[in-house]
């Protein structure tokens, strides 16, 4: 009964609360009045710790939605980073020509375009849900003060998590510190640093009081310390960042997984990197590296299919004129089930929406050839094929059964079962769309079984939000900012040793090395654009020269910043004049370091001023942001 009561109480509260930053033109007093739902009301739901945690399930669900579904929001984070570009090449509209398409009045929350608006609206929904608990924390009865503080810690985490993301996506934004129970039209932007200072205090409390060994899908003390470290870095408090990261690393509750564990642990041709990213292993007690996950399970109410393989695996099954052809000019690939070399389940039926760029697939992998994260498939001495952690297109073979069927128009048996080739003997490309159809990918990360479907595109799976490997890399970054390159190298090497990669020396540590290691370890886990913007802010705040000697400052942040310069030095798309087969150009500008605030939110806020970021229409109407939180 308590679970039912919590669920209905939450539903009532969501109906009651004003939907933040969307048009209030149709709002009325009647809309604000909840329908009677017997005793399922907020006052009856939020009476104890279980009721409060029930309210926070909305925050947990909200976190999961970032990674799940077709064109999941996390794809937008990667499209605006150094690691990927938008690979949907058969139409205009997807976020490729960013200079043309990314405006405050554009479509900013749609599968066919981008999910910038999703982050704005859903970010503030997460703040809203957390504020319900924070504002009502004294209304409930608890077993003891520790239980109350643990509930408050969880709510602080969820609010701080959203503000950390929003301030590194949009910069100065409105701050909401209390429950909103009626429409508000008088929001003002608050300086980014002020918000970060506020959530730092909250997370210091949370890192002390959050539950230590909570369920992997709930807020843990380690997860709080991890988020606090990111906030400390954002504020340029590097000693604080080292201390908060060390509390997680050395606290005794968590450790890097360096030995085989979980499902497949006895499978000799696999390794700990494979184990670490198996869906069945991410949330088990044996996995001490996990700090926080989002949870999705087959046939569980509220779960969702991740579609990670659809979003990030090449469109190897393309047909028609864009198909991958054999050197004899025949269609080489089939997505049929039950055929020899059935890739639709073993690799996933991708569409290349999130297209990894050469920086992610080639440039970061030149330090050694032993890194398990880049281990390719191989044949053993008996000729048995072993699936590695990393896939290149040349590791696939032409699997179209028609190639080996006499009388078929595609009959070309000399290529059936042979490895794919990008070019024929005459040098001609064997696919018209190398952007979408031809790139490498980390199979161990992206392969998620999809047993309820015939076309496997990535099913229900748990997914890492925070894991201890990143904590090491965050501490390494803090040491780098302080100039302690040996300790930075030690932390980076803790992660590299587990992958059997060559250890680096202190002289090799620079920001590029840190970003490269994050890219090798955290693909599709970290919010890459958020982290690049955070680092760009640090360079501008500190004046520390970048690896190439460039010095940045906050006065012209949207005109010149590390974020843009780094991407231009690495992607080989935005910086090379590349166009899609649909003739859309890949463009980006320095002001994309911050996303545009959706114009609808600015226009409907008629009694206040929400500032727009420089580079976008409406910036001229800005007023000085607030410098304190009331």
């Amino acid at each position: 009964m308590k679970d039912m009561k919590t669920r209905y109480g939450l539903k009532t509260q969501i109906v009651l609360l004003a939907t933040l930053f969307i048009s209030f033109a149709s709002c009325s007093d009647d809309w604000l009045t909840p329908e009677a739902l017997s005793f399922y009301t907020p006052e009856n739901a939020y009476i104890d710790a279980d009721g409060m945690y029930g309210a926070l399930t909305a925050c947990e669900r909200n976190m999961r939605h970032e990674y799940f579904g077709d064109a999941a929001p996390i794809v937008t984070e990667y499209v605006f980073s150094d690691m990927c570009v938008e690979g949907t090449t058969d139409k205009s509209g997807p976020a490729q020509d960013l200079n043309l398409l990314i405006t405050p009045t554009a479509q900013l929350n749609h599968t066919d375009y981008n999910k910038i608006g999703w982050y704005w609206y859903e970010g503030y929904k997460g703040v809203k849900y957390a504020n319900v608990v924070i504002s009502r924390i004294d209304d409930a009865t608890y077993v003891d003060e520790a239980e109350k503080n643990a509930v408050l810690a969880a709510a602080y985490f969820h609010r701080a998590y959203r503000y950390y993301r929003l301030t590194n996506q949009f910069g100065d934004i409105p701050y909401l510190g209390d429950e909103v129970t009626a429409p508000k039209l008088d929001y003002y932007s608050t300086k980014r640093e002020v918000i970060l200072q506020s959530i730092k205090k909250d997370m210091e409390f949370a890192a002390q009081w959050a539950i230590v060994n909570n369920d992997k899908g709930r807020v843990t003390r380690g997860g709080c310390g991890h988020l606090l470290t990111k906030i400390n870095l954002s504020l340029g408090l590097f000693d604080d960042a080292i201390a908060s990261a060390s509390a997680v690393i050395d606290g005794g509750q968590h450790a890097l997984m360096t030995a085989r564990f979980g499902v497949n642990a006895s499978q000799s041709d696999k390794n700990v990197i494979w184990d670490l990213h198996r869906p069945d292993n991410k949330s088990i007690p044996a996995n001490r590296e996990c700090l926080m996950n989002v949870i999705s399970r087959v046939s569980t109410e509220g779960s969702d299919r991740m579609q990670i393989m659809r979003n990030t695996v090449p469109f190897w099954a393309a047909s028609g004129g864009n198909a991958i052809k054999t050197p004899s000019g025949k269609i080489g690939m089939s997505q049929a089930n039950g055929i020899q070399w059935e890739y639709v389940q073993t690799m996933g039926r991708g569409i290349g929406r999130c297209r990894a760029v050469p920086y992610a697939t080639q440039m970061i992998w030149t330090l050694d050839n032993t890194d398990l994260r880049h281990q390719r498939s191989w044949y053993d001495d008996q000729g048995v094929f072993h699936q590695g952690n990393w896939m290149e297109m040349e590791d696939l073979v032409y699997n179209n059964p028609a190639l080996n069927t006499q009388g078929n128009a595609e009959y070309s048996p000399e290529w059936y079962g042979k490895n794919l080739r990008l070019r024929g003997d005459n040098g001609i490309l064997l696919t018209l769309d190398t952007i979408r159809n031809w790139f490498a990918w980390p199979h161990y990360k992206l392969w998620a079984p999809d047993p309820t479907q015939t076309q496997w595109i990535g099913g229900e799976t748990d997914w890492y939000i925070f894991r201890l490997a990143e904590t090491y890399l965050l501490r390494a970054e803090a040491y780098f900012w302080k100039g302690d390159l040996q300790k930075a190298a030690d932390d980076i090497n803790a992660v590299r040793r587990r992958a059997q990669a060559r250890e680096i020396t202190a002289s090799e540590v620079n920001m590029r090395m840190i970003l490269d290691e994050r890219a090798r370890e955290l693909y599709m886990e970290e919010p890459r654009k958020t982290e690049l913007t955070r680092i760009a802010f640090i360079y501008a705040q500190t004046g520390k020269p970048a690896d190439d000697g460039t010095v940045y400052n906050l006065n012209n942040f949207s005109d010149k910043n590390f974020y843009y310069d780094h991407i231009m030095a690495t992607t080989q798309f935005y910086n090379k004049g590349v166009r899609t087969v649909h003739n859309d150009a890949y463009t980006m500008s320095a002001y994309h370091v911050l996303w545009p605030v959706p114009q609808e939110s600015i226009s409907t806020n008629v009694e206040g001023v929400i500032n727009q970021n420089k580079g976008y229409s409406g910036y001229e109407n800005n007023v000085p942001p607030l410098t304190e939180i009331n």
Side-chain angles (χ1 to χ4, degrees):
M1 179 63 72
K2 183 178 292 184
D3 289 342
M4 181 182 295
K5 185 162 55 178
T6 299
R7 183 165 64 251
Y8 277 91
L10 177 60
K11 179 179 178 181
T12 304
Q13 184 65 16
I14 294 172
V15 172
L16 172 65
L17 293 179
T19 303
L20 184 63
F21 296 147
I22 62 176
S23 175
F24 295 113
S26 63
C27 292
S28 67
D29 291 341
D30 291 339
W31 178 81
L32 288 171
T33 304
E35 296 180 5
L37 292 174
S38 183
F39 55 86
Y40 302 123
T41 63
E43 289 71 22
N44 287 325
Y46 305 137
I47 60 175
D48 57 15
D50 286 345
M52 293 297 193
Y53 283 128
L56 292 177
T57 60
C59 294
E60 294 160 2
R61 176 203 62 206
N62 176 283
M63 292 179 73
R64 185 178 69 230
H65 290 341
E66 180 180 1
Y67 293 85
F68 284 71
D70 189 19
I74 194 65
V75 171
T76 295
E77 273 273 354
Y78 275 77
V79 165
F80 279 82
S81 81
D82 53 351
M83 295 194 70
C84 298
V85 293
E86 168 60 72
T88 306
T89 54
D90 60 346
K91 56 189 173 186
S92 298
Q96 293 156 346
D97 191 345
L98 306 184
N99 292 341
L100 174 67
L101 295 173
I102 306 304
T103 70
T105 57
Q107 174 54 267
L108 297 177
N109 190 12
H110 193 282
T111 298
D112 291 335
Y113 297 90
N114 64 79
K115 295 293 180 68
I116 290 172
W118 184 95
Y119 280 105
W120 178 263
Y121 294 117
E122 293 298 324
Y124 275 106
K125 283 182 183 178
V127 169
K128 179 177 68 174
Y129 301 148
N131 277 342
V132 171
V133 174
I134 294 168
S135 296
R136 295 170 179 263
I137 193 68
D138 292 325
D139 296 347
T141 301
Y142 305 93
V143 172
D144 54 27
E145 192 70 11
E147 184 181 58
K148 174 185 175 180
N149 288 346
V151 171
L152 186 57
Y156 278 159
F157 172 90
H158 282 292
R159 185 169 69 180
Y161 180 81
R162 273 64 178 195
Y163 278 133
Y164 172 77
R165 298 294 299 280
L166 288 165
T167 55
N168 287 302
Q169 292 167 331
F170 299 95
D172 298 341
I173 57 171
Y175 177 84
L176 285 76
D178 297 301
E179 178 181 2
V180 179
T181 57
K184 276 177 59 68
L185 307 175
D186 60 348
Y187 292 102
Y188 285 85
S189 297
T190 299
K191 283 188 67 66
R192 171 181 176 271
E193 295 87 347
V194 173
I195 295 174
L196 289 169
Q197 288 164 1
S198 178
I199 62 175
K200 171 181 167 62
K201 295 177 183 177
D202 292 343
M203 290 314 300
E204 287 173 338
F205 176 92
Q208 179 182 358
W209 288 104
I211 295 175
V212 176
N213 288 319
N214 210 350
D215 295 336
K216 298 292 176 67
R218 308 289 294 274
V219 174
T220 66
R221 191 171 298 180
C224 289
H226 186 96
L227 179 56
L228 176 59
T229 301
K230 292 192 174 194
I231 296 167
N232 285 331
L233 283 169
S234 297
L235 289 166
L237 301 174
F238 306 127
D239 286 329
D240 287 3
I242 292 168
S244 56
S246 297
V248 180
I249 293 169
D250 303 326
Q253 300 299 323
H254 301 284
L256 291 178
M257 299 303 295
T258 57
R260 301 294 307 275
F261 72 102
V263 297
N264 305 138
S266 62
Q267 195 170 337
S268 61
D269 61 345
K270 301 300 183 184
N271 51 60
V272 68
I273 297 297
W274 178 264
D275 294 341
L276 188 63
H277 293 280
R278 300 286 45 78
D280 291 342
N281 291 348
K282 290 182 178 180
S283 298
I284 61 176
N287 187 348
R288 297 181 61 202
E289 186 164 335
C290 174
L291 303 179
M292 187 174 188
N293 283 344
V294 289
I295 309 295
S296 185
R297 307 287 173 79
V298 175
S299 302
T300 299
E301 182 180 358
S303 289
D304 192 9
R305 297 167 69 212
M306 191 171 192
Q307 301 194 41
I308 185 68
M309 295 189 292
R310 173 178 171 83
N311 288 325
T312 59
V313 171
F315 194 17
W316 57 266
S319 58
N322 286 334
I324 294 174
K325 303 290 184 66
T326 67
S328 58
K330 308 298 184 181
I331 294 177
M333 306 304 293
S334 170
Q335 59 179 320
N337 290 301
I339 62 174
Q340 190 176 17
W341 301 296
E342 180 187 59
Y343 291 140
V344 74
Q345 291 189 4
T346 56
M347 301 299 163
R349 201 277 193 183
I351 64 168
R353 185 188 296 280
C354 192
R355 202 279 191 195
V357 300
Y359 169 73
T361 62
Q362 300 171 21
M363 296 167 66
I364 63 175
W365 300 109
T366 59
L367 287 179
D368 56 67
N369 59 6
T370 61
D371 196 321
L372 293 178
R373 298 166 297 190
H374 200 240
Q375 175 201 51
R376 290 181 62 175
S377 304
W378 75 97
Y379 288 91
D380 63 24
D381 294 340
Q382 286 72 45
V384 177
F385 178 78
H386 297 274
Q387 175 63 64
N389 288 332
W390 184 268
M391 289 300 301
E392 301 281 347
M393 292 300 295
E394 292 86 352
D395 294 331
L396 304 181
V397 301
Y398 296 109
N399 72 337
N400 183 5
L403 294 172
N404 204 35
T405 305
Q406 287 189 343
N408 194 291
E410 303 302 326
Y411 186 63
S412 186
E414 70 275 19
W415 291 107
Y416 183 62
K418 298 297 191 298
N419 292 92
L420 268 58
R421 292 174 55 177
L422 179 59
R423 297 179 182 273
D425 292 338
N426 56 4
I428 299 298
L429 287 170
L430 299 178
T431 179
L432 295 180
D433 194 349
T434 57
I435 293 176
R436 195 174 190 183
N437 301 351
W438 198 277
F439 57 94
W441 72 97
H443 176 67
Y444 73 97
K445 268 282 185 84
L446 307 180
W447 187 71
D450 206 356
T452 63
Q453 307 293 319
T454 56
Q455 296 286 314
W456 280 25
I457 58 178
E460 293 85 351
T461 177
D462 298 351
W463 201 255
Y464 293 120
I465 298 297
F466 293 152
R467 142 172 99 81
L468 194 67
E470 187 187 14
T471 318
Y472 274 95
L473 297 179
L474 291 171
R475 191 170 69 175
E477 184 188 334
Y479 282 129
F480 161 78
W481 291 116
K482 284 178 60 66
D484 194 337
L485 301 186
Q486 183 57 60
K487 287 185 178 178
D490 292 342
D491 278 345
I492 293 171
N493 285 333
V495 177
R496 291 183 59 77
R497 274 194 301 273
R498 189 256 302 281
Q500 297 183 16
R502 175 182 70 81
E503 296 190 23
I504 63 169
T505 64
S507 63
E508 294 178 279
V509 175
N510 55 21
M511 180 51 69
R512 177 62 180 271
M513 176 63 75
I514 291 169
L515 286 173
D516 288 0
E517 193 60 35
R518 290 184 67 89
R520 287 184 283 261
E521 184 67 23
L522 301 172
Y523 183 58
M524 282 293 145
E525 292 182 54
E526 65 166 330
R528 187 72 176 186
K529 185 271 173 193
T530 293
E531 301 303 320
L532 287 177
T533 297
R534 172 182 63 76
I535 291 168
F537 268 119
I538 297 173
Y539 270 119
Q541 290 162 207
T542 63
K544 180 181 176 70
D547 295 344
D548 64 358
T550 303
V551 175
Y552 303 95
N553 66 77
L554 290 174
N555 293 330
N556 64 344
F557 184 68
S558 290
D559 300 316
K560 183 175 181 58
N561 53 72
F562 171 81
Y563 164 89
Y564 176 77
D565 288 348
H566 171 71
I567 292 175
M568 290 304 105
T570 55
T571 67
Q572 298 186 9
F573 272 78
Y574 297 119
N575 58 353
K576 297 292 185 181
V578 174
R579 288 184 174 269
T580 71
V581 293
H582 203 260
N583 204 35
D584 293 300
Y586 285 93
T587 69
M588 175 182 274
S589 292
Y591 64 83
H592 290 124
V593 67
L594 296 173
W595 285 338
V597 175
Q599 184 61 41
E600 182 182 43
S601 296
I602 295 175
S603 298
T604 57
N605 186 58
V606 295
E607 297 176 12
V609 178
I610 299 174
N611 286 342
Q612 184 57 269
N613 287 313
K614 189 175 182 180
Y616 304 104
S617 176
Y619 169 76
E620 64 278 6
N621 300 320
N622 285 2
V623 300
L626 301 178
T627 57
E628 62 180 23
I629 293 173
N630 294 322

